[in-house]
mmCIF file with all atom_site columns, all heavy atoms in Angstrom:
data_model
loop_
_atom_site.group_PDB
_atom_site.id
_atom_site.type_symbol
_atom_site.label_atom_id
_atom_site.label_alt_id
_atom_site.label_comp_id
_atom_site.label_asym_id
_atom_site.label_entity_id
_atom_site.label_seq_id
_atom_site.pdbx_PDB_ins_code
_atom_site.Cartn_x
_atom_site.Cartn_y
_atom_site.Cartn_z
_atom_site.occupancy
_atom_site.B_iso_or_equiv
_atom_site.pdbx_formal_charge
_atom_site.auth_seq_id
_atom_site.auth_comp_id
_atom_site.auth_asym_id
_atom_site.auth_atom_id
_atom_site.pdbx_PDB_model_num
ATOM 1   N N   . PHE G 1 326 ? 13.784 1.108  39.433 1.00 0.00 ? 326 PHE G N   1
ATOM 2   C CA  . PHE G 1 326 ? 13.743 0.462  38.113 1.00 0.00 ? 326 PHE G CA  1
ATOM 3   C C   . PHE G 1 326 ? 14.802 0.945  37.143 1.00 0.00 ? 326 PHE G C   1
ATOM 4   O O   . PHE G 1 326 ? 14.800 0.521  35.991 1.00 0.00 ? 326 PHE G O   1
ATOM 5   C CB  . PHE G 1 326 ? 12.372 0.697  37.465 1.00 0.00 ? 326 PHE G CB  1
ATOM 6   C CG  . PHE G 1 326 ? 11.237 0.222  38.307 1.00 0.00 ? 326 PHE G CG  1
ATOM 7   C CD1 . PHE G 1 326 ? 10.344 1.105  38.896 1.00 0.00 ? 326 PHE G CD1 1
ATOM 8   C CD2 . PHE G 1 326 ? 11.031 -1.139 38.528 1.00 0.00 ? 326 PHE G CD2 1
ATOM 9   C CE1 . PHE G 1 326 ? 9.297  0.669  39.682 1.00 0.00 ? 326 PHE G CE1 1
ATOM 10  C CE2 . PHE G 1 326 ? 9.995  -1.587 39.316 1.00 0.00 ? 326 PHE G CE2 1
ATOM 11  C CZ  . PHE G 1 326 ? 9.124  -0.696 39.895 1.00 0.00 ? 326 PHE G CZ  1
ATOM 12  N N   . LYS G 1 327 ? 15.718 1.808  37.566 1.00 0.00 ? 327 LYS G N   1
ATOM 13  C CA  . LYS G 1 327 ? 16.659 2.408  36.641 1.00 0.00 ? 327 LYS G CA  1
ATOM 14  C C   . LYS G 1 327 ? 17.767 1.427  36.283 1.00 0.00 ? 327 LYS G C   1
ATOM 15  O O   . LYS G 1 327 ? 18.695 1.201  37.042 1.00 0.00 ? 327 LYS G O   1
ATOM 16  C CB  . LYS G 1 327 ? 17.250 3.684  37.237 1.00 0.00 ? 327 LYS G CB  1
ATOM 17  C CG  . LYS G 1 327 ? 18.009 4.538  36.224 1.00 0.00 ? 327 LYS G CG  1
ATOM 18  C CD  . LYS G 1 327 ? 18.337 5.900  36.821 1.00 0.00 ? 327 LYS G CD  1
ATOM 19  C CE  . LYS G 1 327 ? 18.940 6.833  35.796 1.00 0.00 ? 327 LYS G CE  1
ATOM 20  N NZ  . LYS G 1 327 ? 19.202 8.160  36.338 1.00 0.00 ? 327 LYS G NZ  1
ATOM 21  N N   . LEU G 1 328 ? 17.650 0.824  35.123 1.00 0.00 ? 328 LEU G N   1
ATOM 22  C CA  . LEU G 1 328 ? 18.690 -0.030 34.556 1.00 0.00 ? 328 LEU G CA  1
ATOM 23  C C   . LEU G 1 328 ? 18.916 0.481  33.133 1.00 0.00 ? 328 LEU G C   1
ATOM 24  O O   . LEU G 1 328 ? 18.111 0.239  32.248 1.00 0.00 ? 328 LEU G O   1
ATOM 25  C CB  . LEU G 1 328 ? 18.250 -1.501 34.512 1.00 0.00 ? 328 LEU G CB  1
ATOM 26  C CG  . LEU G 1 328 ? 18.063 -2.175 35.872 1.00 0.00 ? 328 LEU G CG  1
ATOM 27  C CD1 . LEU G 1 328 ? 17.414 -3.543 35.683 1.00 0.00 ? 328 LEU G CD1 1
ATOM 28  C CD2 . LEU G 1 328 ? 19.403 -2.321 36.582 1.00 0.00 ? 328 LEU G CD2 1
ATOM 29  N N   . GLU G 1 329 ? 19.997 1.194  32.922 1.00 0.00 ? 329 GLU G N   1
ATOM 30  C CA  . GLU G 1 329 ? 20.187 1.869  31.640 1.00 0.00 ? 329 GLU G CA  1
ATOM 31  C C   . GLU G 1 329 ? 21.394 1.321  30.907 1.00 0.00 ? 329 GLU G C   1
ATOM 32  O O   . GLU G 1 329 ? 22.526 1.650  31.228 1.00 0.00 ? 329 GLU G O   1
ATOM 33  C CB  . GLU G 1 329 ? 20.340 3.367  31.839 1.00 0.00 ? 329 GLU G CB  1
ATOM 34  C CG  . GLU G 1 329 ? 19.039 4.022  32.260 1.00 0.00 ? 329 GLU G CG  1
ATOM 35  C CD  . GLU G 1 329 ? 19.151 5.542  32.268 1.00 0.00 ? 329 GLU G CD  1
ATOM 36  O OE1 . GLU G 1 329 ? 20.277 6.042  32.418 1.00 0.00 ? 329 GLU G OE1 1
ATOM 37  O OE2 . GLU G 1 329 ? 18.111 6.197  32.125 1.00 0.00 ? 329 GLU G OE2 1
ATOM 38  N N   . PRO G 1 330 ? 21.188 0.466  29.892 1.00 0.00 ? 330 PRO G N   1
ATOM 39  C CA  . PRO G 1 330 ? 22.296 0.080  29.034 1.00 0.00 ? 330 PRO G CA  1
ATOM 40  C C   . PRO G 1 330 ? 22.802 1.299  28.275 1.00 0.00 ? 330 PRO G C   1
ATOM 41  O O   . PRO G 1 330 ? 22.094 2.320  28.165 1.00 0.00 ? 330 PRO G O   1
ATOM 42  C CB  . PRO G 1 330 ? 21.671 -0.945 28.083 1.00 0.00 ? 330 PRO G CB  1
ATOM 43  C CG  . PRO G 1 330 ? 20.224 -0.634 28.092 1.00 0.00 ? 330 PRO G CG  1
ATOM 44  C CD  . PRO G 1 330 ? 19.919 -0.118 29.461 1.00 0.00 ? 330 PRO G CD  1
ATOM 45  N N   . LEU G 1 331 ? 23.997 1.202  27.756 1.00 0.00 ? 331 LEU G N   1
ATOM 46  C CA  . LEU G 1 331 ? 24.632 2.362  27.145 1.00 0.00 ? 331 LEU G CA  1
ATOM 47  C C   . LEU G 1 331 ? 23.796 2.962  26.028 1.00 0.00 ? 331 LEU G C   1
ATOM 48  O O   . LEU G 1 331 ? 23.721 4.174  25.868 1.00 0.00 ? 331 LEU G O   1
ATOM 49  C CB  . LEU G 1 331 ? 26.006 1.958  26.613 1.00 0.00 ? 331 LEU G CB  1
ATOM 50  C CG  . LEU G 1 331 ? 26.837 3.084  25.986 1.00 0.00 ? 331 LEU G CG  1
ATOM 51  C CD1 . LEU G 1 331 ? 27.146 4.164  27.001 1.00 0.00 ? 331 LEU G CD1 1
ATOM 52  C CD2 . LEU G 1 331 ? 28.127 2.533  25.398 1.00 0.00 ? 331 LEU G CD2 1
ATOM 53  N N   . TYR G 1 332 ? 23.119 2.113  25.235 1.00 0.00 ? 332 TYR G N   1
ATOM 54  C CA  . TYR G 1 332 ? 22.390 2.648  24.093 1.00 0.00 ? 332 TYR G CA  1
ATOM 55  C C   . TYR G 1 332 ? 21.152 3.452  24.488 1.00 0.00 ? 332 TYR G C   1
ATOM 56  O O   . TYR G 1 332 ? 20.547 4.094  23.649 1.00 0.00 ? 332 TYR G O   1
ATOM 57  C CB  . TYR G 1 332 ? 21.988 1.511  23.121 1.00 0.00 ? 332 TYR G CB  1
ATOM 58  C CG  . TYR G 1 332 ? 21.289 0.344  23.754 1.00 0.00 ? 332 TYR G CG  1
ATOM 59  C CD1 . TYR G 1 332 ? 19.927 0.376  24.024 1.00 0.00 ? 332 TYR G CD1 1
ATOM 60  C CD2 . TYR G 1 332 ? 21.996 -0.828 24.070 1.00 0.00 ? 332 TYR G CD2 1
ATOM 61  C CE1 . TYR G 1 332 ? 19.292 -0.701 24.618 1.00 0.00 ? 332 TYR G CE1 1
ATOM 62  C CE2 . TYR G 1 332 ? 21.371 -1.900 24.653 1.00 0.00 ? 332 TYR G CE2 1
ATOM 63  C CZ  . TYR G 1 332 ? 20.020 -1.842 24.914 1.00 0.00 ? 332 TYR G CZ  1
ATOM 64  O OH  . TYR G 1 332 ? 19.393 -2.916 25.500 1.00 0.00 ? 332 TYR G OH  1
ATOM 65  N N   . LEU G 1 333 ? 20.744 3.431  25.795 1.00 0.00 ? 333 LEU G N   1
ATOM 66  C CA  . LEU G 1 333 ? 19.644 4.269  26.250 1.00 0.00 ? 333 LEU G CA  1
ATOM 67  C C   . LEU G 1 333 ? 20.114 5.534  26.976 1.00 0.00 ? 333 LEU G C   1
ATOM 68  O O   . LEU G 1 333 ? 19.309 6.355  27.367 1.00 0.00 ? 333 LEU G O   1
ATOM 69  C CB  . LEU G 1 333 ? 18.717 3.472  27.194 1.00 0.00 ? 333 LEU G CB  1
ATOM 70  C CG  . LEU G 1 333 ? 17.975 2.294  26.571 1.00 0.00 ? 333 LEU G CG  1
ATOM 71  C CD1 . LEU G 1 333 ? 17.001 1.718  27.588 1.00 0.00 ? 333 LEU G CD1 1
ATOM 72  C CD2 . LEU G 1 333 ? 17.234 2.710  25.307 1.00 0.00 ? 333 LEU G CD2 1
ATOM 73  N N   . GLN G 1 334 ? 21.434 5.644  27.136 1.00 0.00 ? 334 GLN G N   1
ATOM 74  C CA  . GLN G 1 334 ? 21.944 6.814  27.843 1.00 0.00 ? 334 GLN G CA  1
ATOM 75  C C   . GLN G 1 334 ? 22.145 7.968  26.879 1.00 0.00 ? 334 GLN G C   1
ATOM 76  O O   . GLN G 1 334 ? 22.392 7.776  25.682 1.00 0.00 ? 334 GLN G O   1
ATOM 77  C CB  . GLN G 1 334 ? 23.271 6.474  28.535 1.00 0.00 ? 334 GLN G CB  1
ATOM 78  C CG  . GLN G 1 334 ? 23.091 5.410  29.620 1.00 0.00 ? 334 GLN G CG  1
ATOM 79  C CD  . GLN G 1 334 ? 24.398 5.003  30.260 1.00 0.00 ? 334 GLN G CD  1
ATOM 80  O OE1 . GLN G 1 334 ? 25.450 5.529  29.908 1.00 0.00 ? 334 GLN G OE1 1
ATOM 81  N NE2 . GLN G 1 334 ? 24.348 4.067  31.180 1.00 0.00 ? 334 GLN G NE2 1
ATOM 82  N N   . HIS G 1 335 ? 22.019 9.191  27.394 1.00 0.00 ? 335 HIS G N   1
ATOM 83  C CA  . HIS G 1 335 ? 22.168 10.376 26.558 1.00 0.00 ? 335 HIS G CA  1
ATOM 84  C C   . HIS G 1 335 ? 22.632 11.531 27.424 1.00 0.00 ? 335 HIS G C   1
ATOM 85  O O   . HIS G 1 335 ? 22.527 11.512 28.654 1.00 0.00 ? 335 HIS G O   1
ATOM 86  C CB  . HIS G 1 335 ? 20.846 10.720 25.859 1.00 0.00 ? 335 HIS G CB  1
ATOM 87  C CG  . HIS G 1 335 ? 19.689 10.849 26.795 1.00 0.00 ? 335 HIS G CG  1
ATOM 88  N ND1 . HIS G 1 335 ? 19.354 12.033 27.383 1.00 0.00 ? 335 HIS G ND1 1
ATOM 89  C CD2 . HIS G 1 335 ? 18.803 9.922  27.255 1.00 0.00 ? 335 HIS G CD2 1
ATOM 90  C CE1 . HIS G 1 335 ? 18.285 11.856 28.152 1.00 0.00 ? 335 HIS G CE1 1
ATOM 91  N NE2 . HIS G 1 335 ? 17.935 10.585 28.112 1.00 0.00 ? 335 HIS G NE2 1
ATOM 92  N N   . HIS G 1 336 ? 23.142 12.588 26.773 1.00 0.00 ? 336 HIS G N   1
ATOM 93  C CA  . HIS G 1 336 ? 23.794 13.652 27.537 1.00 0.00 ? 336 HIS G CA  1
ATOM 94  C C   . HIS G 1 336 ? 22.812 14.617 28.189 1.00 0.00 ? 336 HIS G C   1
ATOM 95  O O   . HIS G 1 336 ? 23.219 15.534 28.861 1.00 0.00 ? 336 HIS G O   1
ATOM 96  C CB  . HIS G 1 336 ? 24.796 14.415 26.668 1.00 0.00 ? 336 HIS G CB  1
ATOM 97  C CG  . HIS G 1 336 ? 24.171 15.173 25.539 1.00 0.00 ? 336 HIS G CG  1
ATOM 98  N ND1 . HIS G 1 336 ? 23.764 14.561 24.369 1.00 0.00 ? 336 HIS G ND1 1
ATOM 99  C CD2 . HIS G 1 336 ? 23.888 16.490 25.403 1.00 0.00 ? 336 HIS G CD2 1
ATOM 100 C CE1 . HIS G 1 336 ? 23.264 15.458 23.557 1.00 0.00 ? 336 HIS G CE1 1
ATOM 101 N NE2 . HIS G 1 336 ? 23.323 16.644 24.156 1.00 0.00 ? 336 HIS G NE2 1
ATOM 102 N N   . HIS G 1 337 ? 21.509 14.417 28.037 1.00 0.00 ? 337 HIS G N   1
ATOM 103 C CA  . HIS G 1 337 ? 20.532 15.259 28.712 1.00 0.00 ? 337 HIS G CA  1
ATOM 104 C C   . HIS G 1 337 ? 19.936 14.585 29.946 1.00 0.00 ? 337 HIS G C   1
ATOM 105 O O   . HIS G 1 337 ? 19.072 15.138 30.588 1.00 0.00 ? 337 HIS G O   1
ATOM 106 C CB  . HIS G 1 337 ? 19.393 15.615 27.747 1.00 0.00 ? 337 HIS G CB  1
ATOM 107 C CG  . HIS G 1 337 ? 19.807 16.605 26.719 1.00 0.00 ? 337 HIS G CG  1
ATOM 108 N ND1 . HIS G 1 337 ? 20.148 17.902 27.025 1.00 0.00 ? 337 HIS G ND1 1
ATOM 109 C CD2 . HIS G 1 337 ? 19.916 16.483 25.372 1.00 0.00 ? 337 HIS G CD2 1
ATOM 110 C CE1 . HIS G 1 337 ? 20.472 18.550 25.913 1.00 0.00 ? 337 HIS G CE1 1
ATOM 111 N NE2 . HIS G 1 337 ? 20.339 17.720 24.901 1.00 0.00 ? 337 HIS G NE2 1
ATOM 112 N N   . GLN G 1 338 ? 20.383 13.371 30.279 1.00 0.00 ? 338 GLN G N   1
ATOM 113 C CA  . GLN G 1 338 ? 19.774 12.712 31.429 1.00 0.00 ? 338 GLN G CA  1
ATOM 114 C C   . GLN G 1 338 ? 20.413 13.225 32.707 1.00 0.00 ? 338 GLN G C   1
ATOM 115 O O   . GLN G 1 338 ? 21.368 14.010 32.693 1.00 0.00 ? 338 GLN G O   1
ATOM 116 C CB  . GLN G 1 338 ? 19.904 11.200 31.321 1.00 0.00 ? 338 GLN G CB  1
ATOM 117 C CG  . GLN G 1 338 ? 21.348 10.681 31.345 1.00 0.00 ? 338 GLN G CG  1
ATOM 118 C CD  . GLN G 1 338 ? 21.403 9.204  31.046 1.00 0.00 ? 338 GLN G CD  1
ATOM 119 O OE1 . GLN G 1 338 ? 20.598 8.678  30.312 1.00 0.00 ? 338 GLN G OE1 1
ATOM 120 N NE2 . GLN G 1 338 ? 22.348 8.530  31.651 1.00 0.00 ? 338 GLN G NE2 1
ATOM 121 N N   . GLU G 1 339 ? 19.875 12.759 33.853 1.00 0.00 ? 339 GLU G N   1
ATOM 122 C CA  . GLU G 1 339 ? 20.257 13.339 35.128 1.00 0.00 ? 339 GLU G CA  1
ATOM 123 C C   . GLU G 1 339 ? 21.712 13.052 35.490 1.00 0.00 ? 339 GLU G C   1
ATOM 124 O O   . GLU G 1 339 ? 22.388 13.871 36.071 1.00 0.00 ? 339 GLU G O   1
ATOM 125 C CB  . GLU G 1 339 ? 19.334 12.813 36.230 1.00 0.00 ? 339 GLU G CB  1
ATOM 126 C CG  . GLU G 1 339 ? 17.911 13.284 36.079 1.00 0.00 ? 339 GLU G CG  1
ATOM 127 C CD  . GLU G 1 339 ? 16.983 12.695 37.094 1.00 0.00 ? 339 GLU G CD  1
ATOM 128 O OE1 . GLU G 1 339 ? 17.413 11.857 37.897 1.00 0.00 ? 339 GLU G OE1 1
ATOM 129 O OE2 . GLU G 1 339 ? 15.797 13.065 37.083 1.00 0.00 ? 339 GLU G OE2 1
ATOM 130 N N   . SER G 1 340 ? 22.196 11.867 35.156 1.00 0.00 ? 340 SER G N   1
ATOM 131 C CA  . SER G 1 340 ? 23.572 11.543 35.497 1.00 0.00 ? 340 SER G CA  1
ATOM 132 C C   . SER G 1 340 ? 24.281 11.013 34.255 1.00 0.00 ? 340 SER G C   1
ATOM 133 O O   . SER G 1 340 ? 23.753 10.153 33.556 1.00 0.00 ? 340 SER G O   1
ATOM 134 C CB  . SER G 1 340 ? 23.637 10.486 36.609 1.00 0.00 ? 340 SER G CB  1
ATOM 135 O OG  . SER G 1 340 ? 22.957 9.327  36.223 1.00 0.00 ? 340 SER G OG  1
ATOM 136 N N   . GLY G 1 341 ? 25.477 11.531 34.015 1.00 0.00 ? 341 GLY G N   1
ATOM 137 C CA  . GLY G 1 341 ? 26.193 11.123 32.803 1.00 0.00 ? 341 GLY G CA  1
ATOM 138 C C   . GLY G 1 341 ? 26.933 9.819  32.994 1.00 0.00 ? 341 GLY G C   1
ATOM 139 O O   . GLY G 1 341 ? 27.105 9.309  34.100 1.00 0.00 ? 341 GLY G O   1
ATOM 140 N N   . LEU G 1 342 ? 27.401 9.269  31.895 1.00 0.00 ? 342 LEU G N   1
ATOM 141 C CA  . LEU G 1 342 ? 28.170 8.045  31.928 1.00 0.00 ? 342 LEU G CA  1
ATOM 142 C C   . LEU G 1 342 ? 29.582 8.339  32.430 1.00 0.00 ? 342 LEU G C   1
ATOM 143 O O   . LEU G 1 342 ? 30.255 9.239  31.933 1.00 0.00 ? 342 LEU G O   1
ATOM 144 C CB  . LEU G 1 342 ? 28.234 7.444  30.518 1.00 0.00 ? 342 LEU G CB  1
ATOM 145 C CG  . LEU G 1 342 ? 29.120 6.215  30.327 1.00 0.00 ? 342 LEU G CG  1
ATOM 146 C CD1 . LEU G 1 342 ? 28.557 5.037  31.119 1.00 0.00 ? 342 LEU G CD1 1
ATOM 147 C CD2 . LEU G 1 342 ? 29.234 5.852  28.862 1.00 0.00 ? 342 LEU G CD2 1
ATOM 148 N N   . VAL G 1 343 ? 30.027 7.611  33.411 1.00 0.00 ? 343 VAL G N   1
ATOM 149 C CA  . VAL G 1 343 ? 31.370 7.791  33.947 1.00 0.00 ? 343 VAL G CA  1
ATOM 150 C C   . VAL G 1 343 ? 32.184 6.565  33.580 1.00 0.00 ? 343 VAL G C   1
ATOM 151 O O   . VAL G 1 343 ? 31.858 5.442  33.975 1.00 0.00 ? 343 VAL G O   1
ATOM 152 C CB  . VAL G 1 343 ? 31.345 7.951  35.489 1.00 0.00 ? 343 VAL G CB  1
ATOM 153 C CG1 . VAL G 1 343 ? 32.744 8.121  36.014 1.00 0.00 ? 343 VAL G CG1 1
ATOM 154 C CG2 . VAL G 1 343 ? 30.496 9.160  35.864 1.00 0.00 ? 343 VAL G CG2 1
ATOM 155 N N   . THR G 1 344 ? 33.233 6.742  32.791 1.00 0.00 ? 344 THR G N   1
ATOM 156 C CA  . THR G 1 344 ? 34.052 5.607  32.375 1.00 0.00 ? 344 THR G CA  1
ATOM 157 C C   . THR G 1 344 ? 35.524 5.986  32.400 1.00 0.00 ? 344 THR G C   1
ATOM 158 O O   . THR G 1 344 ? 35.880 7.159  32.490 1.00 0.00 ? 344 THR G O   1
ATOM 159 C CB  . THR G 1 344 ? 33.708 5.160  30.930 1.00 0.00 ? 344 THR G CB  1
ATOM 160 O OG1 . THR G 1 344 ? 34.122 6.194  30.029 1.00 0.00 ? 344 THR G OG1 1
ATOM 161 C CG2 . THR G 1 344 ? 32.234 4.907  30.740 1.00 0.00 ? 344 THR G CG2 1
ATOM 162 N N   . ASP G 1 345 ? 36.421 4.970  32.288 1.00 0.00 ? 345 ASP G N   1
ATOM 163 C CA  . ASP G 1 345 ? 37.849 5.217  32.091 1.00 0.00 ? 345 ASP G CA  1
ATOM 164 C C   . ASP G 1 345 ? 38.267 4.473  30.772 1.00 0.00 ? 345 ASP G C   1
ATOM 165 O O   . ASP G 1 345 ? 39.420 3.981  30.699 1.00 0.00 ? 345 ASP G O   1
ATOM 166 C CB  . ASP G 1 345 ? 38.637 4.758  33.311 1.00 0.00 ? 345 ASP G CB  1
ATOM 167 C CG  . ASP G 1 345 ? 38.425 3.277  33.610 1.00 0.00 ? 345 ASP G CG  1
ATOM 168 O OD1 . ASP G 1 345 ? 37.646 2.614  32.893 1.00 0.00 ? 345 ASP G OD1 1
ATOM 169 O OD2 . ASP G 1 345 ? 39.069 2.754  34.533 1.00 0.00 ? 345 ASP G OD2 1
ATOM 170 N N   . TYR G 1 346 ? 37.529 4.444  29.813 1.00 0.00 ? 346 TYR G N   1
ATOM 171 C CA  . TYR G 1 346 ? 38.079 3.926  28.535 1.00 0.00 ? 346 TYR G CA  1
ATOM 172 C C   . TYR G 1 346 ? 38.905 4.994  27.854 1.00 0.00 ? 346 TYR G C   1
ATOM 173 O O   . TYR G 1 346 ? 38.651 6.164  27.917 1.00 0.00 ? 346 TYR G O   1
ATOM 174 C CB  . TYR G 1 346 ? 36.920 3.482  27.628 1.00 0.00 ? 346 TYR G CB  1
ATOM 175 C CG  . TYR G 1 346 ? 36.079 2.454  28.246 1.00 0.00 ? 346 TYR G CG  1
ATOM 176 C CD1 . TYR G 1 346 ? 34.721 2.684  28.485 1.00 0.00 ? 346 TYR G CD1 1
ATOM 177 C CD2 . TYR G 1 346 ? 36.605 1.277  28.697 1.00 0.00 ? 346 TYR G CD2 1
ATOM 178 C CE1 . TYR G 1 346 ? 33.926 1.730  29.075 1.00 0.00 ? 346 TYR G CE1 1
ATOM 179 C CE2 . TYR G 1 346 ? 35.837 0.331  29.280 1.00 0.00 ? 346 TYR G CE2 1
ATOM 180 C CZ  . TYR G 1 346 ? 34.488 0.545  29.461 1.00 0.00 ? 346 TYR G CZ  1
ATOM 181 O OH  . TYR G 1 346 ? 33.747 -0.417 30.041 1.00 0.00 ? 346 TYR G OH  1
ATOM 182 N N   . ARG G 1 347 ? 39.983 4.606  27.159 1.00 0.00 ? 347 ARG G N   1
ATOM 183 C CA  . ARG G 1 347 ? 40.816 5.659  26.513 1.00 0.00 ? 347 ARG G CA  1
ATOM 184 C C   . ARG G 1 347 ? 41.083 5.280  25.063 1.00 0.00 ? 347 ARG G C   1
ATOM 185 O O   . ARG G 1 347 ? 40.632 4.256  24.566 1.00 0.00 ? 347 ARG G O   1
ATOM 186 C CB  . ARG G 1 347 ? 42.162 5.804  27.252 1.00 0.00 ? 347 ARG G CB  1
ATOM 187 C CG  . ARG G 1 347 ? 42.059 6.549  28.580 1.00 0.00 ? 347 ARG G CG  1
ATOM 188 C CD  . ARG G 1 347 ? 43.362 6.626  29.293 1.00 0.00 ? 347 ARG G CD  1
ATOM 189 N NE  . ARG G 1 347 ? 43.768 5.329  29.798 1.00 0.00 ? 347 ARG G NE  1
ATOM 190 C CZ  . ARG G 1 347 ? 43.459 4.885  30.996 1.00 0.00 ? 347 ARG G CZ  1
ATOM 191 N NH1 . ARG G 1 347 ? 42.704 5.611  31.801 1.00 0.00 ? 347 ARG G NH1 1
ATOM 192 N NH2 . ARG G 1 347 ? 43.864 3.696  31.391 1.00 0.00 ? 347 ARG G NH2 1
ATOM 193 N N   . GLY G 1 348 ? 41.848 6.034  24.428 1.00 0.00 ? 348 GLY G N   1
ATOM 194 C CA  . GLY G 1 348 ? 42.284 5.730  23.065 1.00 0.00 ? 348 GLY G CA  1
ATOM 195 C C   . GLY G 1 348 ? 41.130 5.660  22.087 1.00 0.00 ? 348 GLY G C   1
ATOM 196 O O   . GLY G 1 348 ? 40.401 6.622  21.908 1.00 0.00 ? 348 GLY G O   1
#
Side-chain angles (χ1 to χ4, degrees):
F326 303 111
K327 193 169 187 177
L328 293 171
E329 289 188 335
L331 182 62
Y332 51 82
L333 295 186
Q334 296 177 2
H335 53 90
H336 65 281
H337 287 293
Q338 64 188 32
E339 293 176 356
S340 58
L342 175 65
V343 179
T344 68
D345 58 358
Y346 302 119
R347 284 177 290 269

